[in-house]
PDB file of all heavy atoms in Angstrom:
ATOM      1  N   GLY A 745      60.568 -34.091 111.794  1.00  0.00           N
ATOM      2  CA  GLY A 745      61.862 -33.665 112.309  1.00  0.00           C
ATOM      3  C   GLY A 745      62.719 -32.881 111.345  1.00  0.00           C
ATOM      4  O   GLY A 745      63.844 -32.510 111.683  1.00  0.00           O
ATOM      5  N   ARG A 746      62.225 -32.625 110.122  1.00  0.00           N
ATOM      6  CA  ARG A 746      62.987 -31.829 109.171  1.00  0.00           C
ATOM      7  C   ARG A 746      62.751 -30.345 109.426  1.00  0.00           C
ATOM      8  O   ARG A 746      61.828 -29.970 110.140  1.00  0.00           O
ATOM      9  CB  ARG A 746      62.562 -32.155 107.732  1.00  0.00           C
ATOM     10  CG  ARG A 746      62.843 -33.584 107.305  1.00  0.00           C
ATOM     11  CD  ARG A 746      62.380 -33.813 105.870  1.00  0.00           C
ATOM     12  NE  ARG A 746      60.952 -33.575 105.705  1.00  0.00           N
ATOM     13  CZ  ARG A 746      60.413 -32.551 105.049  1.00  0.00           C
ATOM     14  NH1 ARG A 746      61.207 -31.637 104.487  1.00  0.00           N
ATOM     15  NH2 ARG A 746      59.115 -32.415 104.943  1.00  0.00           N
ATOM     16  N   TYR A 747      63.589 -29.504 108.834  1.00  0.00           N
ATOM     17  CA  TYR A 747      63.372 -28.073 108.855  1.00  0.00           C
ATOM     18  C   TYR A 747      63.031 -27.599 107.449  1.00  0.00           C
ATOM     19  O   TYR A 747      63.635 -28.045 106.466  1.00  0.00           O
ATOM     20  CB  TYR A 747      64.621 -27.330 109.362  1.00  0.00           C
ATOM     21  CG  TYR A 747      64.778 -27.382 110.856  1.00  0.00           C
ATOM     22  CD1 TYR A 747      65.820 -28.124 111.433  1.00  0.00           C
ATOM     23  CD2 TYR A 747      63.900 -26.708 111.692  1.00  0.00           C
ATOM     24  CE1 TYR A 747      65.972 -28.179 112.808  1.00  0.00           C
ATOM     25  CE2 TYR A 747      64.040 -26.758 113.062  1.00  0.00           C
ATOM     26  CZ  TYR A 747      65.073 -27.493 113.623  1.00  0.00           C
ATOM     27  OH  TYR A 747      65.209 -27.551 114.978  1.00  0.00           O
ATOM     28  N   VAL A 748      62.054 -26.707 107.350  1.00  0.00           N
ATOM     29  CA  VAL A 748      61.651 -26.141 106.069  1.00  0.00           C
ATOM     30  C   VAL A 748      61.535 -24.633 106.236  1.00  0.00           C
ATOM     31  O   VAL A 748      61.167 -24.143 107.308  1.00  0.00           O
ATOM     32  CB  VAL A 748      60.317 -26.760 105.581  1.00  0.00           C
ATOM     33  CG1 VAL A 748      59.168 -26.434 106.528  1.00  0.00           C
ATOM     34  CG2 VAL A 748      59.992 -26.316 104.162  1.00  0.00           C
ATOM     35  N   PHE A 749      61.887 -23.918 105.196  1.00  0.00           N
ATOM     36  CA  PHE A 749      61.822 -22.458 105.231  1.00  0.00           C
ATOM     37  C   PHE A 749      60.403 -22.031 104.837  1.00  0.00           C
ATOM     38  O   PHE A 749      59.986 -22.226 103.696  1.00  0.00           O
ATOM     39  CB  PHE A 749      62.849 -21.867 104.269  1.00  0.00           C
ATOM     40  CG  PHE A 749      62.938 -20.365 104.318  1.00  0.00           C
ATOM     41  CD1 PHE A 749      63.730 -19.733 105.268  1.00  0.00           C
ATOM     42  CD2 PHE A 749      62.236 -19.577 103.416  1.00  0.00           C
ATOM     43  CE1 PHE A 749      63.818 -18.344 105.313  1.00  0.00           C
ATOM     44  CE2 PHE A 749      62.319 -18.197 103.440  1.00  0.00           C
ATOM     45  CZ  PHE A 749      63.112 -17.573 104.397  1.00  0.00           C
ATOM     46  N   ILE A 750      59.661 -21.474 105.787  1.00  0.00           N
ATOM     47  CA  ILE A 750      58.290 -21.023 105.528  1.00  0.00           C
ATOM     48  C   ILE A 750      58.330 -19.587 105.029  1.00  0.00           C
ATOM     49  O   ILE A 750      58.865 -18.696 105.704  1.00  0.00           O
ATOM     50  CB  ILE A 750      57.417 -21.115 106.791  1.00  0.00           C
ATOM     51  CG1 ILE A 750      57.396 -22.545 107.324  1.00  0.00           C
ATOM     52  CG2 ILE A 750      56.000 -20.629 106.490  1.00  0.00           C
ATOM     53  CD1 ILE A 750      56.783 -23.563 106.397  1.00  0.00           C
ATOM     54  N   ILE A 751      57.766 -19.364 103.853  1.00  0.00           N
ATOM     55  CA  ILE A 751      57.826 -18.055 103.219  1.00  0.00           C
ATOM     56  C   ILE A 751      56.861 -17.076 103.891  1.00  0.00           C
ATOM     57  O   ILE A 751      55.677 -17.373 104.046  1.00  0.00           O
ATOM     58  CB  ILE A 751      57.482 -18.172 101.719  1.00  0.00           C
ATOM     59  CG1 ILE A 751      58.548 -19.030 101.013  1.00  0.00           C
ATOM     60  CG2 ILE A 751      57.388 -16.798 101.070  1.00  0.00           C
ATOM     61  CD1 ILE A 751      58.190 -19.354  99.575  1.00  0.00           C
ATOM     62  N   GLU A 752      57.395 -15.941 104.281  1.00  0.00           N
ATOM     63  CA  GLU A 752      56.562 -14.846 104.791  1.00  0.00           C
ATOM     64  C   GLU A 752      56.138 -13.965 103.609  1.00  0.00           C
ATOM     65  O   GLU A 752      54.948 -13.805 103.340  1.00  0.00           O
ATOM     66  CB  GLU A 752      57.343 -14.015 105.811  1.00  0.00           C
ATOM     67  CG  GLU A 752      56.570 -12.802 106.316  1.00  0.00           C
ATOM     68  CD  GLU A 752      57.491 -11.722 106.864  1.00  0.00           C
ATOM     69  OE1 GLU A 752      58.610 -11.549 106.343  1.00  0.00           O
ATOM     70  OE2 GLU A 752      57.063 -11.039 107.800  1.00  0.00           O
ATOM     71  N   THR A 753      57.094 -13.381 102.899  1.00  0.00           N
ATOM     72  CA  THR A 753      56.809 -12.600 101.702  1.00  0.00           C
ATOM     73  C   THR A 753      57.664 -13.139 100.552  1.00  0.00           C
ATOM     74  O   THR A 753      58.777 -13.605 100.777  1.00  0.00           O
ATOM     75  CB  THR A 753      57.119 -11.104 101.891  1.00  0.00           C
ATOM     76  OG1 THR A 753      58.540 -10.921 102.058  1.00  0.00           O
ATOM     77  CG2 THR A 753      56.398 -10.534 103.100  1.00  0.00           C
ATOM     78  N   GLY A 754      57.113 -13.077  99.350  1.00  0.00           N
ATOM     79  CA  GLY A 754      57.872 -13.526  98.185  1.00  0.00           C
ATOM     80  C   GLY A 754      57.363 -14.804  97.554  1.00  0.00           C
ATOM     81  O   GLY A 754      58.096 -15.447  96.798  1.00  0.00           O
ATOM     82  N   GLU A 755      56.093 -15.178  97.817  1.00  0.00           N
ATOM     83  CA  GLU A 755      55.571 -16.401  97.206  1.00  0.00           C
ATOM     84  C   GLU A 755      55.555 -16.288  95.681  1.00  0.00           C
ATOM     85  O   GLU A 755      55.770 -17.274  94.976  1.00  0.00           O
ATOM     86  CB  GLU A 755      54.171 -16.714  97.723  1.00  0.00           C
ATOM     87  CG  GLU A 755      53.626 -18.027  97.179  1.00  0.00           C
ATOM     88  CD  GLU A 755      52.268 -18.433  97.737  1.00  0.00           C
ATOM     89  OE1 GLU A 755      51.834 -17.826  98.739  1.00  0.00           O
ATOM     90  OE2 GLU A 755      51.648 -19.331  97.157  1.00  0.00           O
ATOM     91  N   ARG A 756      55.298 -15.086  95.153  1.00  0.00           N
ATOM     92  CA  ARG A 756      55.329 -14.916  93.700  1.00  0.00           C
ATOM     93  C   ARG A 756      56.714 -15.227  93.139  1.00  0.00           C
ATOM     94  O   ARG A 756      56.846 -15.846  92.081  1.00  0.00           O
ATOM     95  CB  ARG A 756      54.910 -13.493  93.315  1.00  0.00           C
ATOM     96  CG  ARG A 756      53.473 -13.153  93.632  1.00  0.00           C
ATOM     97  CD  ARG A 756      53.141 -11.720  93.244  1.00  0.00           C
ATOM     98  NE  ARG A 756      53.173 -11.549  91.806  1.00  0.00           N
ATOM     99  CZ  ARG A 756      52.176 -11.860  90.989  1.00  0.00           C
ATOM    100  NH1 ARG A 756      51.047 -12.364  91.474  1.00  0.00           N
ATOM    101  NH2 ARG A 756      52.283 -11.668  89.690  1.00  0.00           N
ATOM    102  N   ARG A 757      57.769 -14.829  93.840  1.00  0.00           N
ATOM    103  CA  ARG A 757      59.129 -15.120  93.393  1.00  0.00           C
ATOM    104  C   ARG A 757      59.407 -16.626  93.447  1.00  0.00           C
ATOM    105  O   ARG A 757      60.097 -17.182  92.593  1.00  0.00           O
ATOM    106  CB  ARG A 757      60.135 -14.315  94.230  1.00  0.00           C
ATOM    107  CG  ARG A 757      59.972 -12.810  94.027  1.00  0.00           C
ATOM    108  CD  ARG A 757      60.961 -11.982  94.765  1.00  0.00           C
ATOM    109  NE  ARG A 757      60.645 -11.739  96.166  1.00  0.00           N
ATOM    110  CZ  ARG A 757      59.687 -10.922  96.590  1.00  0.00           C
ATOM    111  NH1 ARG A 757      58.889 -10.296  95.735  1.00  0.00           N
ATOM    112  NH2 ARG A 757      59.486 -10.729  97.879  1.00  0.00           N
ATOM    113  N   PHE A 758      58.863 -17.275  94.466  1.00  0.00           N
ATOM    114  CA  PHE A 758      58.992 -18.733  94.595  1.00  0.00           C
ATOM    115  C   PHE A 758      58.383 -19.434  93.382  1.00  0.00           C
ATOM    116  O   PHE A 758      59.028 -20.252  92.723  1.00  0.00           O
ATOM    117  CB  PHE A 758      58.306 -19.177  95.891  1.00  0.00           C
ATOM    118  CG  PHE A 758      58.116 -20.660  96.042  1.00  0.00           C
ATOM    119  CD1 PHE A 758      59.132 -21.456  96.563  1.00  0.00           C
ATOM    120  CD2 PHE A 758      56.912 -21.255  95.691  1.00  0.00           C
ATOM    121  CE1 PHE A 758      58.950 -22.827  96.716  1.00  0.00           C
ATOM    122  CE2 PHE A 758      56.727 -22.629  95.834  1.00  0.00           C
ATOM    123  CZ  PHE A 758      57.742 -23.416  96.350  1.00  0.00           C
ATOM    124  N   TRP A 759      57.114 -19.106  93.067  1.00  0.00           N
ATOM    125  CA  TRP A 759      56.452 -19.785  91.952  1.00  0.00           C
ATOM    126  C   TRP A 759      57.051 -19.371  90.613  1.00  0.00           C
ATOM    127  O   TRP A 759      57.103 -20.168  89.669  1.00  0.00           O
ATOM    128  CB  TRP A 759      54.947 -19.533  91.985  1.00  0.00           C
ATOM    129  CG  TRP A 759      54.241 -20.287  93.066  1.00  0.00           C
ATOM    130  CD1 TRP A 759      53.548 -19.775  94.128  1.00  0.00           C
ATOM    131  CD2 TRP A 759      54.167 -21.714  93.205  1.00  0.00           C
ATOM    132  NE1 TRP A 759      53.054 -20.777  94.925  1.00  0.00           N
ATOM    133  CE2 TRP A 759      53.417 -21.978  94.379  1.00  0.00           C
ATOM    134  CE3 TRP A 759      54.661 -22.782  92.462  1.00  0.00           C
ATOM    135  CZ2 TRP A 759      53.154 -23.269  94.812  1.00  0.00           C
ATOM    136  CZ3 TRP A 759      54.397 -24.081  92.900  1.00  0.00           C
ATOM    137  CH2 TRP A 759      53.650 -24.317  94.059  1.00  0.00           C
ATOM    138  N   ALA A 760      57.518 -18.133  90.507  1.00  0.00           N
ATOM    139  CA  ALA A 760      58.174 -17.701  89.275  1.00  0.00           C
ATOM    140  C   ALA A 760      59.394 -18.567  88.978  1.00  0.00           C
ATOM    141  O   ALA A 760      59.623 -18.985  87.834  1.00  0.00           O
ATOM    142  CB  ALA A 760      58.582 -16.230  89.386  1.00  0.00           C
ATOM    143  N   ALA A 761      60.175 -18.848  90.013  1.00  0.00           N
ATOM    144  CA  ALA A 761      61.363 -19.683  89.840  1.00  0.00           C
ATOM    145  C   ALA A 761      60.980 -21.113  89.466  1.00  0.00           C
ATOM    146  O   ALA A 761      61.607 -21.734  88.591  1.00  0.00           O
ATOM    147  CB  ALA A 761      62.201 -19.668  91.117  1.00  0.00           C
ATOM    148  N   CYS A 762      59.952 -21.665  90.111  1.00  0.00           N
ATOM    149  CA  CYS A 762      59.512 -23.037  89.817  1.00  0.00           C
ATOM    150  C   CYS A 762      58.983 -23.153  88.391  1.00  0.00           C
ATOM    151  O   CYS A 762      59.320 -24.099  87.654  1.00  0.00           O
ATOM    152  CB  CYS A 762      58.429 -23.462  90.802  1.00  0.00           C
ATOM    153  SG  CYS A 762      58.965 -23.600  92.519  1.00  0.00           S
ATOM    154  N   LEU A 763      58.138 -22.202  87.984  1.00  0.00           N
ATOM    155  CA  LEU A 763      57.543 -22.238  86.640  1.00  0.00           C
ATOM    156  C   LEU A 763      58.621 -22.130  85.564  1.00  0.00           C
ATOM    157  O   LEU A 763      58.594 -22.854  84.563  1.00  0.00           O
ATOM    158  CB  LEU A 763      56.527 -21.113  86.496  1.00  0.00           C
ATOM    159  CG  LEU A 763      55.210 -21.315  87.262  1.00  0.00           C
ATOM    160  CD1 LEU A 763      54.468 -19.991  87.407  1.00  0.00           C
ATOM    161  CD2 LEU A 763      54.330 -22.349  86.556  1.00  0.00           C
ATOM    162  N   ARG A 764      59.555 -21.226  85.788  1.00  0.00           N
ATOM    163  CA  ARG A 764      60.619 -21.053  84.793  1.00  0.00           C
ATOM    164  C   ARG A 764      61.493 -22.303  84.714  1.00  0.00           C
ATOM    165  O   ARG A 764      61.907 -22.716  83.624  1.00  0.00           O
ATOM    166  CB  ARG A 764      61.467 -19.830  85.122  1.00  0.00           C
ATOM    167  CG  ARG A 764      62.550 -19.580  84.095  1.00  0.00           C
ATOM    168  CD  ARG A 764      63.368 -18.343  84.399  1.00  0.00           C
ATOM    169  NE  ARG A 764      64.511 -18.291  83.496  1.00  0.00           N
ATOM    170  CZ  ARG A 764      65.643 -18.964  83.682  1.00  0.00           C
ATOM    171  NH1 ARG A 764      65.786 -19.729  84.758  1.00  0.00           N
ATOM    172  NH2 ARG A 764      66.627 -18.885  82.815  1.00  0.00           N
ATOM    173  N   ALA A 765      61.780 -22.915  85.856  1.00  0.00           N
ATOM    174  CA  ALA A 765      62.609 -24.120  85.858  1.00  0.00           C
ATOM    175  C   ALA A 765      61.952 -25.237  85.053  1.00  0.00           C
ATOM    176  O   ALA A 765      62.623 -25.968  84.313  1.00  0.00           O
ATOM    177  CB  ALA A 765      62.856 -24.581  87.295  1.00  0.00           C
ATOM    178  N   VAL A 766      60.637 -25.378  85.190  1.00  0.00           N
ATOM    179  CA  VAL A 766      59.921 -26.418  84.454  1.00  0.00           C
ATOM    180  C   VAL A 766      59.829 -26.062  82.974  1.00  0.00           C
ATOM    181  O   VAL A 766      60.101 -26.897  82.102  1.00  0.00           O
ATOM    182  CB  VAL A 766      58.512 -26.627  85.052  1.00  0.00           C
ATOM    183  CG1 VAL A 766      57.684 -27.565  84.172  1.00  0.00           C
ATOM    184  CG2 VAL A 766      58.619 -27.191  86.461  1.00  0.00           C
ATOM    185  N   GLN A 767      59.466 -24.830  82.672  1.00  0.00           N
ATOM    186  CA  GLN A 767      59.328 -24.428  81.270  1.00  0.00           C
ATOM    187  C   GLN A 767      60.652 -24.539  80.514  1.00  0.00           C
ATOM    188  O   GLN A 767      60.692 -25.006  79.379  1.00  0.00           O
ATOM    189  CB  GLN A 767      58.795 -23.008  81.160  1.00  0.00           C
ATOM    190  CG  GLN A 767      58.495 -22.598  79.713  1.00  0.00           C
ATOM    191  CD  GLN A 767      58.144 -21.142  79.578  1.00  0.00           C
ATOM    192  OE1 GLN A 767      58.925 -20.274  79.947  1.00  0.00           O
ATOM    193  NE2 GLN A 767      56.958 -20.867  79.071  1.00  0.00           N
ATOM    194  N   GLU A 768      61.742 -24.116  81.167  1.00  0.00           N
ATOM    195  CA  GLU A 768      63.054 -24.128  80.525  1.00  0.00           C
ATOM    196  C   GLU A 768      63.769 -25.466  80.674  1.00  0.00           C
ATOM    197  O   GLU A 768      64.871 -25.642  80.147  1.00  0.00           O
ATOM    198  CB  GLU A 768      63.935 -23.019  81.110  1.00  0.00           C
ATOM    199  CG  GLU A 768      63.397 -21.618  80.908  1.00  0.00           C
ATOM    200  CD  GLU A 768      63.358 -21.222  79.444  1.00  0.00           C
ATOM    201  OE1 GLU A 768      64.279 -21.630  78.697  1.00  0.00           O
ATOM    202  OE2 GLU A 768      62.414 -20.517  79.043  1.00  0.00           O
ATOM    203  N   GLN A 769      63.149 -26.400  81.402  1.00  0.00           N
ATOM    204  CA  GLN A 769      63.731 -27.729  81.625  1.00  0.00           C
ATOM    205  C   GLN A 769      65.157 -27.628  82.162  1.00  0.00           C
ATOM    206  O   GLN A 769      66.104 -28.252  81.655  1.00  0.00           O
ATOM    207  CB  GLN A 769      63.709 -28.554  80.331  1.00  0.00           C
ATOM    208  CG  GLN A 769      62.305 -28.816  79.806  1.00  0.00           C
ATOM    209  CD  GLN A 769      62.289 -29.692  78.578  1.00  0.00           C
ATOM    210  OE1 GLN A 769      63.065 -29.500  77.644  1.00  0.00           O
ATOM    211  NE2 GLN A 769      61.414 -30.682  78.572  1.00  0.00           N
ATOM    212  N   LEU A 770      65.305 -26.829  83.211  1.00  0.00           N
ATOM    213  CA  LEU A 770      66.630 -26.638  83.801  1.00  0.00           C
ATOM    214  C   LEU A 770      67.139 -27.942  84.402  1.00  0.00           C
ATOM    215  O   LEU A 770      66.379 -28.724  84.965  1.00  0.00           O
ATOM    216  CB  LEU A 770      66.569 -25.544  84.873  1.00  0.00           C
ATOM    217  CG  LEU A 770      66.111 -24.156  84.419  1.00  0.00           C
ATOM    218  CD1 LEU A 770      66.200 -23.171  85.559  1.00  0.00           C
ATOM    219  CD2 LEU A 770      66.933 -23.672  83.223  1.00  0.00           C
ATOM    220  N   SER A 771      68.420 -28.159  84.303  1.00  0.00           N
ATOM    221  CA  SER A 771      69.018 -29.397  84.801  1.00  0.00           C
ATOM    222  C   SER A 771      69.223 -29.381  86.312  1.00  0.00           C
ATOM    223  O   SER A 771      69.410 -30.432  86.918  1.00  0.00           O
ATOM    224  CB  SER A 771      70.359 -29.651  84.106  1.00  0.00           C
ATOM    225  OG  SER A 771      71.262 -28.583  84.372  1.00  0.00           O
ATOM    226  N   GLU A 772      69.238 -28.215  86.910  1.00  0.00           N
ATOM    227  CA  GLU A 772      69.393 -28.098  88.366  1.00  0.00           C
ATOM    228  C   GLU A 772      68.355 -27.115  88.896  1.00  0.00           C
ATOM    229  O   GLU A 772      67.867 -26.247  88.173  1.00  0.00           O
ATOM    230  CB  GLU A 772      70.798 -27.605  88.725  1.00  0.00           C
ATOM    231  CG  GLU A 772      71.899 -28.579  88.352  1.00  0.00           C
ATOM    232  CD  GLU A 772      73.259 -28.094  88.817  1.00  0.00           C
ATOM    233  OE1 GLU A 772      73.316 -27.076  89.552  1.00  0.00           O
ATOM    234  OE2 GLU A 772      74.263 -28.725  88.439  1.00  0.00           O
ATOM    235  N   GLU A 773      68.055 -27.259  90.170  1.00  0.00           N
ATOM    236  CA  GLU A 773      67.108 -26.337  90.787  1.00  0.00           C
ATOM    237  C   GLU A 773      67.682 -24.915  90.824  1.00  0.00           C
ATOM    238  O   GLU A 773      68.884 -24.731  91.045  1.00  0.00           O
ATOM    239  CB  GLU A 773      66.796 -26.758  92.228  1.00  0.00           C
ATOM    240  CG  GLU A 773      65.888 -27.957  92.355  1.00  0.00           C
ATOM    241  CD  GLU A 773      65.340 -28.079  93.774  1.00  0.00           C
ATOM    242  OE1 GLU A 773      64.498 -27.255  94.152  1.00  0.00           O
ATOM    243  OE2 GLU A 773      65.783 -28.995  94.497  1.00  0.00           O
ATOM    244  N   PRO A 774      66.817 -23.912  90.635  1.00  0.00           N
ATOM    245  CA  PRO A 774      67.274 -22.537  90.807  1.00  0.00           C
ATOM    246  C   PRO A 774      67.535 -22.248  92.275  1.00  0.00           C
ATOM    247  O   PRO A 774      67.093 -22.991  93.159  1.00  0.00           O
ATOM    248  CB  PRO A 774      66.098 -21.703  90.280  1.00  0.00           C
ATOM    249  CG  PRO A 774      64.905 -22.583  90.482  1.00  0.00           C
ATOM    250  CD  PRO A 774      65.397 -23.991  90.264  1.00  0.00           C
ATOM    251  N   LEU A 775      68.258 -21.177  92.533  1.00  0.00           N
ATOM    252  CA  LEU A 775      68.514 -20.734  93.898  1.00  0.00           C
ATOM    253  C   LEU A 775      67.901 -19.351  94.081  1.00  0.00           C
ATOM    254  O   LEU A 775      68.041 -18.485  93.229  1.00  0.00           O
ATOM    255  CB  LEU A 775      70.013 -20.666  94.177  1.00  0.00           C
ATOM    256  CG  LEU A 775      70.743 -22.022  94.247  1.00  0.00           C
ATOM    257  CD1 LEU A 775      72.248 -21.800  94.283  1.00  0.00           C
ATOM    258  CD2 LEU A 775      70.276 -22.819  95.451  1.00  0.00           C
ATOM    259  N   LEU A 776      67.220 -19.170  95.190  1.00  0.00           N
ATOM    260  CA  LEU A 776      66.597 -17.895  95.511  1.00  0.00           C
ATOM    261  C   LEU A 776      67.273 -17.285  96.724  1.00  0.00           C
ATOM    262  O   LEU A 776      67.633 -17.995  97.681  1.00  0.00           O
ATOM    263  CB  LEU A 776      65.100 -18.083  95.796  1.00  0.00           C
ATOM    264  CG  LEU A 776      64.221 -18.428  94.590  1.00  0.00           C
ATOM    265  CD1 LEU A 776      62.836 -18.848  95.048  1.00  0.00           C
ATOM    266  CD2 LEU A 776      64.134 -17.250  93.646  1.00  0.00           C
ATOM    267  N   ARG A 777      67.468 -15.977  96.670  1.00  0.00           N
ATOM    268  CA  ARG A 777      68.037 -15.260  97.823  1.00  0.00           C
ATOM    269  C   ARG A 777      66.936 -15.038  98.845  1.00  0.00           C
ATOM    270  O   ARG A 777      65.858 -14.524  98.527  1.00  0.00           O
ATOM    271  CB  ARG A 777      68.616 -13.919  97.370  1.00  0.00           C
ATOM    272  CG  ARG A 777      69.267 -13.121  98.503  1.00  0.00           C
ATOM    273  CD  ARG A 777      70.127 -12.000  97.944  1.00  0.00           C
ATOM    274  NE  ARG A 777      69.393 -11.095  97.078  1.00  0.00           N
ATOM    275  CZ  ARG A 777      68.830  -9.966  97.497  1.00  0.00           C
ATOM    276  NH1 ARG A 777      68.910  -9.609  98.761  1.00  0.00           N
ATOM    277  NH2 ARG A 777      68.193  -9.179  96.655  1.00  0.00           N
ATOM    278  N   VAL A 778      67.182 -15.446 100.071  1.00  0.00           N
ATOM    279  CA  VAL A 778      66.183 -15.315 101.128  1.00  0.00           C
ATOM    280  C   VAL A 778      66.788 -14.589 102.329  1.00  0.00           C
ATOM    281  O   VAL A 778      67.992 -14.661 102.575  1.00  0.00           O
ATOM    282  CB  VAL A 778      65.630 -16.694 101.582  1.00  0.00           C
ATOM    283  CG1 VAL A 778      65.137 -17.497 100.401  1.00  0.00           C
ATOM    284  CG2 VAL A 778      66.655 -17.486 102.371  1.00  0.00           C
ATOM    285  N   GLU A 779      65.943 -13.882 103.033  1.00  0.00           N
ATOM    286  CA  GLU A 779      66.305 -13.267 104.307  1.00  0.00           C
ATOM    287  C   GLU A 779      65.575 -13.997 105.424  1.00  0.00           C
ATOM    288  O   GLU A 779      64.346 -14.110 105.395  1.00  0.00           O
ATOM    289  CB  GLU A 779      65.922 -11.786 104.326  1.00  0.00           C
ATOM    290  CG  GLU A 779      66.777 -10.911 103.421  1.00  0.00           C
ATOM    291  CD  GLU A 779      66.415  -9.438 103.539  1.00  0.00           C
ATOM    292  OE1 GLU A 779      65.427  -9.109 104.239  1.00  0.00           O
ATOM    293  OE2 GLU A 779      67.114  -8.616 102.915  1.00  0.00           O
ATOM    294  N   VAL A 780      66.335 -14.528 106.361  1.00  0.00           N
ATOM    295  CA  VAL A 780      65.751 -15.169 107.537  1.00  0.00           C
ATOM    296  C   VAL A 780      65.423 -14.069 108.539  1.00  0.00           C
ATOM    297  O   VAL A 780      66.326 -13.347 108.987  1.00  0.00           O
ATOM    298  CB  VAL A 780      66.718 -16.189 108.155  1.00  0.00           C
ATOM    299  CG1 VAL A 780      66.080 -16.859 109.368  1.00  0.00           C
ATOM    300  CG2 VAL A 780      67.129 -17.222 107.110  1.00  0.00           C
TER     301      VAL A 780
END
């Protein structure tokens, strides 16, 4: 019953943000600009 945003294009940007967040040990999740 939840809603999730399924990526059409931009998976590389998604993983880039995740990898950088882990490597840099960011205290909060990054935010990505998306077009619905």
Side-chain angles (χ1 to χ4, degrees):
R746 296 180 300 109
Y747 282 111
V748 64
F749 185 84
I750 302 297
I751 296 172
E752 176 203 34
T753 66
E755 184 176 347
R756 294 179 67 82
R757 296 183 278 287
F758 169 85
W759 287 117
C762 295
L763 287 163
R764 182 178 171 278
V766 172
Q767 186 188 58
E768 299 295 324
Q769 298 183 314
L770 300 184
S771 61
E772 295 184 8
E773 285 195 71
L775 291 170
L776 289 169
R777 182 165 57 94
V778 307
E779 289 184 354
V780 181

